[in-house]
Amino acid sequence: MAAPTWTLSVRLRRARVSADSFAARLAADRVRVDAFLSRAFDARQAPAPRLEAAMRHGLLVGGKRLRPVLVYLAGRALEATDADLDPPAGAVELIHAYSLVHDDLPAMDDDDLRRGQPTVHRAYDEATAILAGDALQTLAFEVLARAAHPRLPVLMLTLARAAGRDGMVGGQALDLAAVGGHPDVKALATMHAHKTGALIRAAVRMGALTAVDESDPRVAALDTYAQALGLAFQIHDDILDVTGDTRVLGKASGADAARDKPTYPSLLGLDGARARALELTEEALAALSPLGDASAPLAELARYMIERDH
């Protein structure tokens, strides 16, 4: 059953108390992680300039930076410093960028537009795009390893599992297998928990583990938040593919239907998909209770993630 709309509305109104300052903080975090990522490129001379340009195109041209923002917000809620959070924030965005470069390839989704710009294989060529994705992925682990954090092994393991066969890559395989098929809602949720949700959960977990040991009960609370939020985010993405404008989305709308890909609107209808996204957001907000007032920015981000228009 969908969460009562009035209950969610009350929670979101509370989250909106500092909406203006949150918007400013969101913009500042985007600038911060972009500066960190730019420094990762500027630190040494590139041996292959065309590859370097393609990597920058796939990483630094646009993007909401939601995953690094989640690292920052989860870490700050547990009193981590921004300087300590920069490497995991940068690493998770590098993994996300690599996945988009490869998802857009002709062998995958064959997209021409990403973040309002030509996809990497269109701006350069297919072989360069493959190499750029590979290089972005390995750079993620280099950036994280250089941090020398006392919990580096668990941070590396968290990111590797989320990115690989047990997470994002496994989810992409399920996604490809589902094209033209008729999975039920449970199977669709499993696919999205891997393809999209795993990296969102990793972002929150890495932020938390930068601050505290994994035995801290707040880490489990944040994981529950991230698990619900990740699926709500993907459902809203499915909705935007139906209702969104290509000029606003920065990518082609209607692409899922054109490829005969199963989505929440195709299984539940638009109203049913919206209700499920609201229900999951309510679950995410409820999970934040153990963190008290420190969780307010995370609650505000949950609102943003199901109300965004791109």
Side-chain angles (χ1 to χ4, degrees):
M1 179 181 296
T5 303
W6 68 266
T7 304
L8 181 61
S9 178
V10 168
R11 289 184 186 273
L12 294 184
R13 281 201 301 273
R14 289 173 180 165
R16 280 191 173 118
V17 170
S18 58
D20 290 343
S21 61
F22 174 79
R25 180 71 263 176
L26 193 64
D29 283 343
R30 288 169 176 159
V31 170
R32 183 179 184 92
V33 74
D34 279 353
F36 176 82
L37 291 168
S38 293
R39 290 195 298 273
F41 282 91
D42 297 340
R44 58 192 179 191
Q45 186 174 357
R50 182 175 174 83
L51 172 64
E52 190 84 352
M55 291 171 67
R56 287 176 178 266
H57 183 89
L59 177 68
L60 297 174
V61 178
K64 296 182 286 295
R65 305 294 189 248
L66 290 178
R67 290 153 190 83
V69 167
L70 280 167
V71 174
Y72 286 125
L73 297 187
R76 289 186 195 123
L78 303 184
E79 301 184 350
T81 67
D82 284 0
D84 282 344
L85 292 167
D86 284 337
V92 79
E93 185 63 19
L94 282 159
I95 291 292
H96 178 56
Y98 123 73
S99 75
L100 297 182
V101 172
H102 281 190
D103 281 357
D104 290 337
L105 288 167
M108 297 288 186
D109 290 346
D110 195 16
D111 279 319
D112 297 330
L113 197 66
R114 172 71 67 178
R115 296 169 172 172
Q117 302 291 329
T119 50
V120 176
H121 71 276
R122 293 298 183 195
Y124 295 87
D125 56 70
E126 188 174 346
T128 300
I130 293 170
L131 294 174
D134 291 345
L136 288 167
Q137 181 189 41
T138 54
L139 183 58
F141 291 99
E142 179 182 338
V143 162
L144 193 56
R146 287 181 180 277
H149 190 276
R151 283 182 290 280
L152 180 61
V154 72
L155 290 171
M156 297 280 278
L157 183 59
T158 297
L159 187 59
R161 283 180 171 170
R165 64 178 184 178
D166 295 323
M168 191 175 61
V169 173
Q172 178 68 4
L174 292 173
D175 187 29
L176 292 172
V179 173
H182 303 282
D184 57 19
V185 172
K186 183 178 180 180
L188 189 61
T190 297
M191 179 185 79
H192 287 320
H194 288 76
K195 183 178 179 182
T196 303
L199 199 57
I200 287 175
R201 289 179 71 182
V204 172
R205 182 172 175 80
M206 290 169 72
L209 292 176
T210 301
V212 299
D213 187 84
E214 58 188 328
S215 63
D216 190 306
R218 294 172 297 176
V219 175
L222 283 167
D223 188 61
T224 300
Y225 162 85
Q227 186 172 5
L229 187 67
L231 186 51
F233 174 85
Q234 181 58 55
I235 293 173
H236 190 65
D237 250 17
D238 286 356
I239 292 169
L240 287 177
D241 190 69
V242 177
T243 65
D245 186 321
T246 297
R247 292 169 297 180
V248 177
L249 293 174
K251 59 183 179 181
S253 61
D256 291 338
R259 298 188 189 102
D260 197 20
K261 294 178 69 172
T263 65
Y264 274 85
S266 69
L267 294 181
L268 301 178
L270 278 173
D271 287 345
R274 289 188 180 107
R276 181 59 180 144
L278 288 171
E279 179 182 25
L280 287 161
T281 305
E282 175 72 15
E283 291 176 12
L285 293 170
L288 294 174
S289 295
L291 281 76
D293 292 343
S295 69
L298 288 163
E300 181 65 19
L301 187 65
R303 177 198 67 79
Y304 169 80
M305 289 175 80
I306 65 163
E307 293 187 356
R308 61 196 164 83
D309 59 3
H310 66 288

